[in-house]
Amino acid sequence: MSGEDAPAQQQNAVDQKQETKPAEEPKAEPPKTESAPAGTAEAAATPAATTDKAPEEETFTYRALVLTGYGGYDKVKLQVKKGKPALKAGEVLVRVKACGLNFADLMARQGLYDRLPSPPVTPGMECSGVVEAVGDEVTDRKVGDKVMVLNRYGLWQDVAAVPASHTFLIPDGMTFEEAAALPVNYITAYMMLFDFGNLRPNQSVLVHSAAGGVGIAATQLCKTVKDVTVFGTASASKHETISSGGVTHPIDYRTKDYVEEVRKISPKGLDIILDPLGGSDTHKAYNLLKPMGKLITYGAANMLAGQKKNLLAVAKNWYHQFSIHTLSLIQGNKSVCGFHLGYLDGETELITQAMNTILDLYKQGKVKPCIDSTWHLEQVGEAMRKMQERNNIGKVILTTEPMPEEEKKEETKKEDKKEDKKKDDKKKEDKKKDDGKKEEKKEEKKKEEPKKEEKKEEEKKEEAKKEEK
Amino acid sequence: MSGEDAPAQQQNAVDQKQETKPAEEPKAEPPKTESAPAGTAEAAATPAATTDKAPEEETFTYRALVLTGYGGYDKVKLQVKKGKPALKAGEVLVRVKACGLNFADLMARQGLYDRLPSPPVTPGMECSGVVEAVGDEVTDRKVGDKVMVLNRYGLWQDVAAVPASHTFLIPDGMTFEEAAALPVNYITAYMMLFDFGNLRPNQSVLVHSAAGGVGIAATQLCKTVKDVTVFGTASASKHETISSGGVTHPIDYRTKDYVEEVRKISPKGLDIILDPLGGSDTHKAYNLLKPMGKLITYGAANMLAGQKKNLLAVAKNWYHQFSIHTLSLIQGNKSVCGFHLGYLDGETELITQAMNTILDLYKQGKVKPCIDSTWHLEQVGEAMRKMQERNNIGKVILTTEPMPEEEKKEETKKEDKKEDKKKDDKKKEDKKKDDGKKEEKKEEKKKEEPKKEEKKEEEKKEEAKKEEK
């Protein structure tokens, strides 16, 4: 996942005349393929294989999601690329079946994640698929192997050239969706709980967004240790699911103060707190630790407010960013850790160890990825919205299966609706600007929630219709 | 070790008309004994038992080291106290045999450790001895039990009333000196390495002051895990000892940059760094961590410069105090922990667990406290000096064995010498003040080092003479 591991096919990308960030290491010679004209979501429907008689390296086409610039959901576009990715030594070519969505992808779209090169670039840190070709010096993977892949970026496309060391064999019985849902969330949860957290029997853990991808993985992993108490935050509608998944005490963070709720049950505080929120929540977490407690912060979800970069939210998060003096740590006997898989460049051994343990637990039936929903590449915007608005329970997955023509028409209608919604949003925003008072804005947002909920209901009904078809 | 656990005998202390800091919890009714006149080191020679016919509770006397005010080595005085400490429920009375010296005691003498009530107060966080009486509700200790004791303070005296839960049975074959050397250093090293540090096979650890009490304990504990590489700092004269004790790479921090030395051998950095120094060394340690590395800071030894509180050193330490933002932790995948046993109030269960594991390791011959030297209570100043000037290898111990009259005379001579030295020091300091330039001061100090060394040599020769006697 280091700079040198950037997928080779990035270099064939269309629209690459805008230079991407210089890579940390010099690149291999670019493949001698020509750039294809910029594709659109419609053009993407063209089958990947062409009937052209030119050598496959040149006629080969594939679809790729491309972040074309920082901003809203529509900044990620489906494009067709031409030219088969060349394999470097140690790499394999994977025919991608399913991809996982992560919070870092949402941050990246807004320009808030520095591990993704500048647009245009293909996002995607994890996928599953089948090995279609192996490069020189690859000994432990062969054509036909079903694998899951973890990479710094570049996996949201039909094919990806990746280092063989970034692939893991999919165990029998695991679906491609599950395999795409596993790497980022489970390795993150595993390393936080068992490396930094040093989780042991009888301890207590707070899991924020317990219905999210990392939340569910963390809960399942907590349950592999005897008598661990899991406090999990989620909106009330998700409590039944997270309880049955292993959360001992679900807390509705929208209506209750989670600190108070935890203190009621565990007055001395907690042993481990996983914090994906950042800002003022990190302060709360620190104060909620027991002596010898560990706070593991792994994100800044509080920065994400709305589709586009919200400067106020970003500034607030920076302003409230947790900073700690060692004397305070000493007097409290506390630990503060930061984790982000995206920055674990080159730590192949650590990651492989974690993955092997997780796969063993999977084979023993102790962990199992939970899929919220699967979307076609064309629907990536909707998929991102679902995750960003916290409407998911479990993992949001993209599939490379071609989208049936009928659904596409339906999608177009939805697109129109979205356009209307956008205009609505715009109007609302203009109104807000007129108001100019931040606090009032918040109040309004609350009032708007029910409207949004209605809209979502409508969307759900439409989904249901689609399902019937 | 919480406020309520302050030894009961503190209340009988002489000179107690100056109120000590209010305790966190209301005290039991003070025993109805009378205050004895302030004792001196000489008065201390009086045998503890008297021939008076009054009840033992009143006639009982014992010697106690008392911190009479913040400052140099001479602020800790040996006094005689009257009145047998009353036992509260759950407490035992321990006839103390040996006491351990810790860095916190040195800090406390300078007024730099807030876990010790204001003077006059008896310091001492650990000792070994024999149970002489048991209070109500004590079921697991009996008269005659050999125990080691861990307490917030108050153990540097002939007898101490402590909660039974703060005592641990001394295993067969362990001397009282070893038992007094074990609790603070080994629990500290154990919890840092195995709770916060989560030490595993093949990892690398940096141990500062590897010839000190915690350093030796940490080295021994590292060796209980397979293939752990230990980098240890110490002055060159101690390298042979620490190497044979298990340090893989000894580093002379006085002549070499330890960061460079570590990088030569471990270019990626280290898994665990134990930092007792604070200030700028904490920054160095943070930068020297591998991804997933853990920095555990447990002191601010850099604050200790000279006998008395050195405001410049304290200010420098504060100024350079390490402070960390969560975003930096996240991007580095690092952990920063603070540890100090003195603040682990009431965590009896955690401490008992750690102690039981350590005692198991002792029984298996895997750990064994290393005693640097043993001193009579009258020599506490010398003992503290030896530790503060880093001339010890292993633990500095106080024994309650009465000092032979001959040695006392020798001690008096040494006292006179010390007085001379003090005057010398005073002159030097005056000179320094005249200079007024901080950097030049440093240079001078360096030049003075050899002189100091000569003096130490003289002292050593005197020790040798004493030994011959």
Side-chain angles (χ1 to χ4, degrees), chain B residues 220-282:
Chain B
Q220 290 178 358
L221 287 167
C222 282
K223 298 324 258 183
T224 65
V225 177
K226 205 167 164 260
D227 297 328
V228 168
T229 304
V230 181
F231 294 82
T233 67
S235 53
S237 62
K238 300 176 181 174
H239 283 196
E240 206 181 312
T241 314
I242 63 172
S243 290
S244 69
V247 169
T248 329
H249 303 289
I251 301 170
D252 182 2
Y253 68 98
R254 298 190 193 210
T255 58
K256 284 183 178 164
D257 176 345
Y258 64 84
V259 172
E260 273 177 30
E261 294 302 302
V262 169
R263 290 268 182 216
K264 275 184 204 164
I265 295 156
S266 197
K268 277 184 74 179
L270 300 170
D271 292 300
I272 298 176
I273 299 177
L274 308 182
D275 162 41
L277 304 172
S280 58
D281 285 291
T282 315

Side-chain angles (χ1 to χ4, degrees), chain B residues 31-298:
Chain B
K32 286 166 195 157
T33 54
E34 281 166 28
S35 280
T40 65
E42 272 60 43
T46 323
T50 68
T51 50
D52 205 327
K53 275 169 195 168
E56 202 197 3
E57 278 65 32
E58 288 177 25
T59 59
F60 186 97
T61 64
Y62 60 98
R63 298 170 308 154
L65 287 169
V66 176
L67 179 66
T68 55
Y70 300 131
Y73 304 121
D74 57 354
K75 291 293 181 187
V76 183
K77 296 193 190 303
L78 188 59
Q79 300 182 344
V80 173
K81 297 194 179 184
K82 201 174 165 186
K84 194 169 193 174
L87 289 184
K88 286 189 280 187
E91 287 189 339
V92 295
L93 188 71
V94 175
R95 171 65 59 180
V96 177
K97 297 288 185 183
C99 312
L101 246 74
N102 288 290
F103 243 83
D105 299 317
L106 304 180
M107 305 284 280
R109 199 196 66 236
Q110 298 197 357
L112 294 171
Y113 180 57
D114 63 2
R115 303 305 280 166
L116 193 75
S118 309
V121 61
T122 292
M125 301 163 68
E126 61 187 341
C127 75
S128 61
V130 180
V131 174
E132 199 163 86
V134 296
D136 293 339
E137 296 169 28
V138 174
T139 55
D140 53 351
R141 294 288 177 269
K142 59 182 192 301
V143 172
D145 277 350
K146 291 179 180 179
V147 290
M148 54 191 100
V149 185
L150 190 65
N151 217 48
R152 211 172 100 192
Y153 62 93
L155 301 181
W156 286 359
Q157 45 190 6
D158 281 325
V159 287
V162 294
S165 61
H166 291 192
T167 66
F168 308 90
L169 293 175
I170 298 180
D172 289 342
M174 188 187 275
T175 66
F176 282 119
E177 278 78 8
E178 282 178 347
L182 189 136
V184 171
N185 291 166
Y186 282 79
I187 293 176
T188 296
Y190 180 86
M191 295 191 82
M192 291 197 297
L193 288 172
F194 294 105
D195 193 327
F196 281 148
N198 196 7
L199 177 64
R200 282 155 300 165
N202 299 308
Q203 291 195 318
S204 52
V205 182
L206 173 60
V207 177
H208 281 289
S209 308
V214 174
I216 289 178
T219 304
Q220 290 178 358
L221 287 167
C222 282
K223 298 324 258 183
T224 65
V225 177
K226 205 167 164 260
D227 297 328
V228 168
T229 304
V230 181
F231 294 82
T233 67
S235 53
S237 62
K238 300 176 181 174
H239 283 196
E240 206 181 312
T241 314
I242 63 172
S243 290
S244 69
V247 169
T248 329
H249 303 289
I251 301 170
D252 182 2
Y253 68 98
R254 298 190 193 210
T255 58
K256 284 183 178 164
D257 176 345
Y258 64 84
V259 172
E260 273 177 30
E261 294 302 302
V262 169
R263 290 268 182 216
K264 275 184 204 164
I265 295 156
S266 197
K268 277 184 74 179
L270 300 170
D271 292 300
I272 298 176
I273 299 177
L274 308 182
D275 162 41
L277 304 172
S280 58
D281 285 291
T282 315
H283 293 259
K284 287 185 189 173
Y286 184 76
N287 293 326
L288 200 47
L289 286 180
K290 263 187 197 171
M292 299 308 292
K294 289 121 193 144
L295 160 60
I296 304 149
T297 182
Y298 66 106

Side-chain angles (χ1 to χ4, degrees), chain A residues 114 191-192 194-198 200 203 268 275 278-279 282 290-295 297-300 303 317-318 321-347 350 353, chain B residues 114 191-192 194-198 200 203 268 275 278-279 282 290-295 297-300 303 317-318 321-347 350 353:
Chain A
D114 64 2
M191 295 191 83
M192 291 197 296
F194 294 104
D195 192 327
F196 281 147
N198 196 7
R200 283 155 300 163
Q203 291 194 318
K268 277 184 73 178
D275 162 41
T282 314
K290 263 186 197 171
M292 299 308 291
K294 289 121 192 143
L295 160 60
T297 183
Y298 66 105
M303 269 196 202
N317 205 71
W318 265 101
Q321 197 196 160
F322 186 69
S323 157
I324 182 78
H325 278 277
T326 45
L327 277 188
S328 159
L329 287 169
I330 290 175
Q331 296 184 349
N333 281 297
K334 292 180 180 182
S335 162
V336 178
C337 321
F339 184 83
H340 200 294
L341 194 52
Y343 296 92
L344 265 189
D345 283 35
E347 295 302 320
L350 269 179
Q353 275 173 9
Chain B
D114 63 2
M191 295 191 82
M192 291 197 297
F194 294 105
D195 193 327
F196 281 148
N198 196 7
R200 282 155 300 165
Q203 291 195 318
K268 277 184 74 179
D275 162 41
T282 315
K290 263 187 197 171
M292 299 308 292
K294 289 121 193 144
L295 160 60
T297 182
Y298 66 106
M303 270 196 203
N317 206 71
W318 265 102
Q321 197 195 159
F322 186 69
S323 156
I324 183 79
H325 277 277
T326 45
L327 277 188
S328 159
L329 287 170
I330 290 176
Q331 295 183 350
N333 282 299
K334 291 179 180 182
S335 162
V336 179
C337 321
F339 184 83
H340 201 294
L341 194 53
Y343 296 91
L344 265 191
D345 282 34
E347 296 301 319
L350 269 178
Q353 276 174 11

Side-chain angles (χ1 to χ4, degrees), chain A residues 113-300:
Chain A
Y113 181 59
D114 64 2
R115 302 307 279 166
L116 194 75
S118 309
V121 62
T122 292
M125 302 162 68
E126 61 188 340
C127 74
S128 60
V130 180
V131 173
E132 199 163 86
V134 297
D136 292 340
E137 296 169 29
V138 174
T139 54
D140 54 351
R141 295 289 177 267
K142 60 183 191 304
V143 172
D145 277 350
K146 291 180 181 179
V147 291
M148 54 190 102
V149 185
L150 191 65
N151 217 47
R152 210 171 101 193
Y153 62 92
L155 300 181
W156 288 357
Q157 46 191 5
D158 282 325
V159 287
V162 294
S165 61
H166 291 192
T167 67
F168 308 91
L169 293 175
I170 298 179
D172 289 342
M174 188 187 275
T175 66
F176 283 119
E177 279 79 9
E178 283 178 346
L182 189 136
V184 172
N185 291 166
Y186 281 79
I187 294 176
T188 296
Y190 180 86
M191 295 191 83
M192 291 197 296
L193 288 172
F194 294 104
D195 192 327
F196 281 147
N198 196 7
L199 177 64
R200 283 155 300 163
N202 299 308
Q203 291 194 318
S204 52
V205 182
L206 172 60
V207 177
H208 280 290
S209 308
V214 174
I216 289 178
T219 304
Q220 290 179 358
L221 288 168
C222 281
K223 298 324 257 184
T224 65
V225 178
K226 208 169 162 255
D227 298 327
V228 168
T229 304
V230 181
F231 293 82
T233 67
S235 52
S237 62
K238 300 175 180 174
H239 282 196
E240 208 182 310
T241 315
I242 62 173
S243 289
S244 68
V247 170
T248 328
H249 302 289
I251 301 171
D252 183 2
Y253 67 98
R254 298 190 192 209
T255 58
K256 285 181 178 165
D257 177 345
Y258 65 83
V259 173
E260 274 177 30
E261 295 302 304
V262 169
R263 288 270 182 216
K264 276 183 203 165
I265 295 157
S266 198
K268 277 184 73 178
L270 300 169
D271 293 298
I272 299 176
I273 298 178
L274 308 182
D275 162 41
L277 304 172
S280 57
D281 285 291
T282 314
H283 293 259
K284 288 185 190 174
Y286 184 75
N287 293 325
L288 200 48
L289 286 180
K290 263 186 197 171
M292 299 308 291
K294 289 121 192 143
L295 160 60
I296 305 148
T297 183
Y298 66 105

